[in-house]
Amino acid sequence: KVLQEPLDIKIDHLVFRYEKNSTEVLNNLNLTISQGEKLAVLGRSGSGKSTLVSLIRGDLVPTSGSVQLAGVATEQIGDRISDYIGVIQQAPYLFHTTILNNLRIGNEQAEISEVWEVLRRVGLEQLVKELPEGLNTMVDEAGLRFSGGERHRMALARILLKDVPIVLLDEPTVGLDPITEQALIDTFFKQLSEKTIIWVTHHLQGIDKMQRVIFIEDGQLEMSGTPDEL
Ligand code: ATP
Ligand code: MG
């Protein structure tokens, strides 16, 4: 690992547009996220939340301004950024290979005992144990053998196995029933309690567990405060 702690994320006068002459999706956004902070990001559909996630991941390059992780522009960190930042999206991607290989993506050396440990932590141990082929069970690309909530738990297990310090959750519970959603949120926050969490969400359920809540509107930080203040 090359980046020096603290692994703060510093967003400075960030402007982003997808095409040269299109309007700015993000327009002069300033935000610092300290290592270990729990931040909820709210904003209406199309306000630029997922775009911000991609910029933090270094998948997009700022039109102007900067996004830095530990003082280094995220787009310059390259593939190594996956050693620091994990993402769980609405539809977590699984690969057409075994459960074991799916979990070991990004950490091929992980011990079998560690794999079972993370499965226990995310609440999938029993389910995998009961499969005739256990960890060697094949998964299809769409992950169809798993329910939505189980796919999210697989994605979380992958992140825990890799042990990245920063986790971006981009509406990870959309489309799940309320009970599954609540259980999943509880698991996320319990298992990620040491890490930086940036949680993009549409509803207020669960945000009381966060330290700070921000609203993005018209490409800018419209409001920022503790859950109590809002
Ligand atoms: P939602 O809550 O619906 O997920 P969001 O806040 O995540 O919305 P973004 O996906 O970041 O919003 O999109 C912000 C704006 O950028 C939208 O107007 C969208 O149409 C536009 N946009 C997103 N992705 C692209 C792209 N690849 N090319 C061009 N425009 C895009
Ligand atoms: Mg989005």
Side-chain angles (χ1 to χ4, degrees):
K1 299 212 168 175
V2 222
L3 297 183
Q4 303 283 316
E5 297 207 0
L7 298 169
D8 296 347
I9 296 163
K10 191 163 192 296
I11 297 166
D12 189 33
H13 293 90
L14 174 63
V15 177
F16 182 80
R17 56 176 93 85
Y18 278 96
E19 272 130 52
K20 242 193 161 94
N21 295 312
S22 60
T23 52
E24 294 84 8
V25 175
L26 299 172
N27 193 2
N28 200 24
L29 188 81
N30 294 290
L31 176 67
T32 298
I33 307 159
S34 307
Q35 183 167 11
E37 187 175 345
K38 313 287 180 277
L39 176 75
V41 180
L42 283 83
R44 62 174 177 72
S45 183
S47 60
K49 305 180 297 295
S50 296
T51 302
L52 180 62
V53 164
S54 297
L55 284 153
I56 292 173
R57 275 269 313 156
D59 292 334
L60 294 174
V61 179
T63 305
S64 69
S66 63
V67 181
Q68 296 185 334
L69 172 60
V72 182
T74 52
E75 81 266 18
Q76 281 170 13
I77 298 174
D79 291 343
R80 284 179 297 130
I81 204 157
S82 61
D83 292 341
Y84 302 95
I85 302 181
V87 190
I88 301 180
Q89 276 153 334
Q90 195 174 331
Y93 193 81
L94 298 177
F95 295 89
H96 181 52
T97 177
T98 63
I99 291 176
L100 181 62
N101 289 338
N102 264 288
L103 293 175
R104 274 178 166 167
I105 284 162
N107 186 357
E108 283 74 14
Q109 313 303 322
E111 303 277 345
I112 298 291
S113 59
E114 292 176 71
V115 173
W116 282 113
E117 170 62 16
V118 297
L119 284 172
R120 189 189 61 71
R121 287 171 63 188
V122 303
L124 286 180
E125 183 186 30
Q126 201 57 32
L127 179 133
V128 177
K129 256 191 185 151
E130 282 169 9
L131 296 169
E133 295 183 82
L135 286 175
N136 295 320
T137 305
M138 289 298 284
V139 179
D140 55 71
E141 274 112 299
L144 288 184
R145 114 183 329 273
F146 296 112
S147 72
E150 288 163 0
R151 279 202 294 281
H152 287 85
R153 287 172 190 276
M154 285 282 286
L156 177 61
R158 194 186 274 161
I159 279 179
L160 293 175
L161 203 58
K162 203 156 182 225
D163 201 22
V164 291
I166 299 164
V167 180
L168 309 178
L169 303 169
D170 192 353
E171 301 193 64
T173 59
V174 164
L176 301 177
D177 67 84
I179 293 172
T180 303
E181 176 172 33
Q182 189 56 57
L184 199 59
I185 289 173
D186 289 346
T187 306
F188 281 151
F189 293 140
K190 181 153 182 266
Q191 297 302 328
L192 301 173
S193 62
E194 307 288 306
K195 301 180 189 294
T196 308
I197 301 179
I198 301 172
W199 179 33
V200 175
T201 177
H202 259 122
H203 33 230
L204 303 176
Q205 190 188 16
I207 64 163
D208 51 310
K209 295 199 180 71
M210 310 304 279
Q211 294 164 339
R212 184 158 56 131
V213 182
I214 64 168
F215 284 85
I216 296 182
E217 202 177 300
D218 296 329
Q220 294 182 329
L221 205 69
E222 184 60 29
M223 232 198 292
S224 167
T226 64
D228 287 348
E229 289 166 357
L230 301 166

